[in-house]
Amino acid sequence: MFGSIVHAQYSQGGQPYRFENNFSESLIQNLKEEILPTFNLDSMQAEDAVNDQNKTPYRFGYNHLVNFNLNNSGLWITLPNGDRLWQLRIKSPNALSLNLAFDDFFMPEGGKLFIYSADKSFVIGAFTKVNNQDDKAFATDLLQGDAVILEYYEPAEVSNKGRIKLFRVTHGYRGMKDYIGKSFAEAGSCQTNINCPLGANWQNEKNSVVFLITAGNIVCSGALVNDVPQDSKPYILTANHCSSTGYSTWVFRFKWEAPLCTNPATNPTSLSLTGCVKRAANLGTDMSLVEITGGLIGQTIPANYNPYFAGWSRINTPADSVVCIHHPMGDIKKISQALNATQSVIYAGANCWKIGQWTTGCTERGSSGSALFDQNHRIVGQLYGGPSACGVSADSLYDNYGKFATSWLGGGTDSTQLKHWLDPENTGTTTLNGTNIRTYNADSNTRITTETEIVSSFTIYPNPSNGEFNIDIKISKPQNVTAKIIDLIGQTIYTTIFTNATTGTYNIDIGSESTGIYFLELSTPTTKSVKKISVLR
């Protein structure tokens, strides 16, 4: 999307009906456009200038509250076969980005919602019944530009069963400068991209970190956290001050990072999910634990998101050194490091770990809620606040993180502690390592695992390539191995089976596919493993 796919939200793929060659544009010549009113941008920027001095969540947009639905907005047309199509164009003049939130969203069998730009240069969807949530809420990630078209296709046999009610359109006015040919977001120059040398030993943990959009116009950071049963429940640890409402429309963006150390020339790809439920919160540590509910496969994060469930320590002793992986100022993923011991402090009434001093990087607005990892690669807290920023004096290069150890028992109730959710069987576990093993279904023994469980060695070369890839596999016993290529919107575009595969080199050719990022999935009857591949011409 955005010319090529940029932010792929969990969907079923495909293309809008309007994109079909035989569609007559005359059918929608009376398409209604909802033009959103102006707002006091100067006032918001003045507020931002003040708030940016503190470690509060990063606000990037203005929330227009609206009431657009299938009955009061847009245009319905009946197609020759009796199916129906509804379209609505929304414009918020001069917006850098738009993101949408729905409070009554239901797709019936066969119903499809697409959202695309007026020039058809980017598309998200199809959103279908798999995107339905119990509370009928839904939201989108950020979309480029100031105008979008919503297109809902409804088969005749389910006429009038779909529901779409849009209650919020967020006008993005900053933090997305790459969309207009400038830089990425607004992180300070001292920040370090996650795939620089500093991040080399943190490649697992980086896959736990998410860019988090709450309240429509607020950006924070969070991390997937492991639980003692290791059942891959999609728990996200973040800061309570990031938001305490609207959980069904929170958006979780995974894998938004520079592929190399330097900033890329174009906006990196990412994958996102929508919706969560609150599990626990504690003001005494500024802790919030939520569980993602939308877009799951087998009750957990889809395999092509390559999720990592971070480990943790609830031992109340200072760390020797720490690392923070975060999205400062709504930017791509960064890593900061402090090569000194933490200190126990009370900050703004909360029990926290204080960073002695950042030795590389720091945190900024938008970093709120980011996980603090100790020298053992375990989470020991999440960011509450502090004075650090690029360019400040050395005595201000510190921050305060709500203690995981204190959050463990929290306020003593299920809704104020981590223990009930992360150690539900009360095993007394004090430390837990991270894992990228995914339990595919909580009610079965089928597992999506790390590559070392399916093969002792699995490499792909050349990568990037022109579409031809070699796969070197070392495998413990002969068995059928299925290879699939999945695109960024989740569609399987290529499948082959290596029958009775043994250790050796296998070849796949997707030279007919477009330049871009794809995922290679290898699977046996009981396991799966996924790696990212790139096609370049």
Side-chain angles (χ1 to χ4, degrees):
M1 290 163 268
F2 310 170
S4 61
I5 295 174
V6 175
H7 301 308
Q9 193 159 357
Y10 183 75
S11 65
Q12 299 305 298
Q15 66 176 358
Y17 193 94
R18 185 179 171 189
F19 288 23
E20 300 290 340
N21 292 332
N22 60 355
F23 183 80
S24 173
E25 289 292 323
S26 64
L27 292 174
I28 58 167
Q29 61 184 349
N30 296 320
L31 176 62
K32 181 179 180 181
E33 180 176 58
E34 298 286 355
I35 299 178
L36 302 180
T38 59
F39 58 94
N40 192 332
L41 179 58
D42 291 340
S43 175
M44 297 199 71
Q45 291 175 327
E47 293 175 4
D48 292 336
V50 174
N51 293 334
D52 285 353
Q53 305 305 309
N54 303 306
K55 206 62 59 72
T56 56
Y58 178 82
R59 184 175 69 182
F60 66 88
Y62 175 82
N63 286 336
H64 289 284
L65 299 182
V66 300
N67 179 19
F68 303 147
N69 60 53
L70 296 175
N71 298 318
N72 68 9
S73 305
L75 173 71
W76 278 104
I77 59 174
T78 300
L79 302 173
N81 65 353
D83 297 344
R84 299 200 304 161
L85 201 68
W86 176 84
Q87 291 197 331
L88 171 66
R89 178 183 168 102
I90 299 173
K91 183 179 178 67
S92 187
N94 302 315
L96 299 180
S97 64
L98 297 175
N99 51 296
L100 316 177
F102 306 80
D103 58 4
D104 190 11
F105 178 93
F106 177 79
M107 292 290 103
E109 186 71 37
K112 299 177 182 180
L113 173 66
F114 289 94
I115 304 173
Y116 52 89
S117 61
D119 63 3
K120 303 181 183 179
S121 64
F122 72 87
V123 181
I124 59 174
F127 301 116
T128 67
K129 66 177 184 178
V130 302
N131 298 100
N132 293 339
Q133 298 190 78
D134 290 344
D135 62 0
K136 304 299 187 291
F138 183 64
T140 73
D141 204 329
L142 306 183
L143 310 169
Q144 177 193 14
D146 67 356
V148 293
I149 293 174
L150 284 72
E151 176 184 300
Y152 169 55
Y153 169 79
E154 187 174 77
E157 59 268 25
V158 293
S159 181
N160 296 313
K161 292 185 178 180
R163 295 197 303 277
I164 296 175
K165 178 176 176 291
L166 188 64
F167 81 92
R168 185 176 67 212
V169 178
T170 301
H171 173 121
Y173 59 83
R174 66 169 181 165
M176 299 296 141
K177 291 182 179 179
D178 56 304
Y179 295 158
I180 54 175
K182 297 182 180 178
S183 64
F184 287 100
E186 301 175 0
S189 60
C190 72
Q191 303 290 3
T192 300
N193 283 325
I194 185 59
N195 290 318
C196 289
L198 178 60
N201 293 327
W202 298 90
Q203 292 298 293
N204 281 327
E205 289 75 18
K206 76 173 186 179
N207 289 327
S208 71
V209 175
V210 297
F211 172 97
L212 179 59
I213 303 172
T214 71
N217 64 346
I218 297 296
V219 168
C220 279
S221 301
L224 269 174
V225 60
N226 201 9
D227 62 1
V228 175
Q230 300 202 64
D231 53 12
S232 302
K233 285 190 176 179
Y235 292 131
I236 296 286
L237 179 69
T238 188
N240 185 65
H241 75 264
C242 286
S243 183
S244 58
T245 60
Y247 295 101
S248 294
T249 58
W250 285 23
V251 175
F252 303 85
R253 186 187 299 174
F254 292 75
K255 304 181 69 171
W256 193 40
E257 61 193 56
L260 302 174
C261 183
T262 56
N263 276 342
T266 58
N267 192 18
T269 60
S270 68
L271 298 168
S272 61
L273 299 172
T274 296
C276 65
V277 292
K278 174 185 175 182
R279 292 307 187 198
N282 183 23
L283 296 177
T285 53
D286 190 42
M287 175 275 292
S288 180
L289 184 74
V290 300
E291 182 176 350
I292 298 175
T293 55
L296 304 179
I297 296 179
Q299 305 170 17
T300 191
I301 309 298
N304 59 325
Y305 286 55
N306 201 24
Y308 183 79
F309 299 82
W312 43 263
S313 172
R314 64 179 182 92
I315 299 174
N316 192 27
T317 58
D320 296 336
S321 62
V322 290
V323 154
C324 171
I325 305 173
H326 54 124
H327 288 278
M329 304 297 281
D331 208 338
I332 53 179
K333 197 175 295 179
K334 310 290 183 178
I335 182 170
S336 301
Q337 183 180 58
L339 295 174
N340 44 65
T342 57
Q343 307 168 48
S344 183
V345 299
I346 300 297
Y347 172 76
N351 285 294
C352 293
W353 292 120
K354 178 184 176 183
I355 302 303
Q357 182 178 317
W358 291 114
T359 48
T360 302
C362 59
T363 68
E364 301 179 80
R365 297 185 67 212
S367 304
S368 290
S370 56
L372 186 69
F373 295 92
D374 68 10
Q375 69 277 6
N376 298 311
H377 292 236
R378 297 170 182 146
I379 294 176
V380 293
Q382 77 287 326
L383 180 61
Y384 188 1
S388 82
C390 292
V392 301
S393 60
D395 59 1
S396 293
L397 273 176
Y398 70 88
D399 286 301
N400 303 282
Y401 288 74
K403 285 186 178 181
F404 194 98
T406 305
S407 299
W408 188 253
L409 295 179
T413 63
D414 296 350
S415 63
T416 61
Q417 65 175 219
L418 295 174
K419 174 182 175 294
H420 174 78
W421 306 101
L422 303 187
D423 189 12
E425 297 176 0
N426 196 27
T427 66
T429 299
T430 57
T431 62
L432 185 67
N433 290 332
T435 182
N436 48 15
I437 296 174
R438 299 170 57 256
T439 302
Y440 186 72
N441 189 302
D443 299 319
S444 77
N445 293 320
T446 303
R447 300 180 71 82
I448 296 175
T449 69
T450 62
E451 64 189 56
T452 55
E453 290 186 278
I454 178 174
V455 290
S456 59
S457 177
F458 163 27
T459 57
I460 309 168
Y461 66 91
N463 189 19
S465 86
N466 63 0
E468 292 188 30
F469 295 89
N470 297 314
I471 310 170
D472 274 355
I473 298 177
K474 291 182 180 179
I475 195 164
S476 58
K477 61 181 180 180
Q479 56 187 303
N480 290 348
V481 176
T482 300
K484 292 182 179 180
I485 302 296
I486 302 167
D487 66 18
L488 284 175
I489 57 177
Q491 297 182 108
T492 298
I493 61 172
Y494 173 95
T495 302
T496 189
I497 298 177
F498 305 134
T499 305
N500 290 323
T502 57
T503 295
T505 300
Y506 300 83
N507 177 265
I508 60 173
D509 186 352
I510 56 170
S512 62
E513 298 299 329
S514 303
T515 294
I517 302 296
Y518 299 88
F519 297 93
L520 169 62
E521 176 188 283
L522 292 188
S523 63
T524 69
T526 59
T527 61
K528 291 183 183 178
S529 179
V530 179
K531 280 193 174 184
K532 182 167 66 176
I533 60 174
S534 299
V535 175
L536 294 178
R537 297 285 191 271

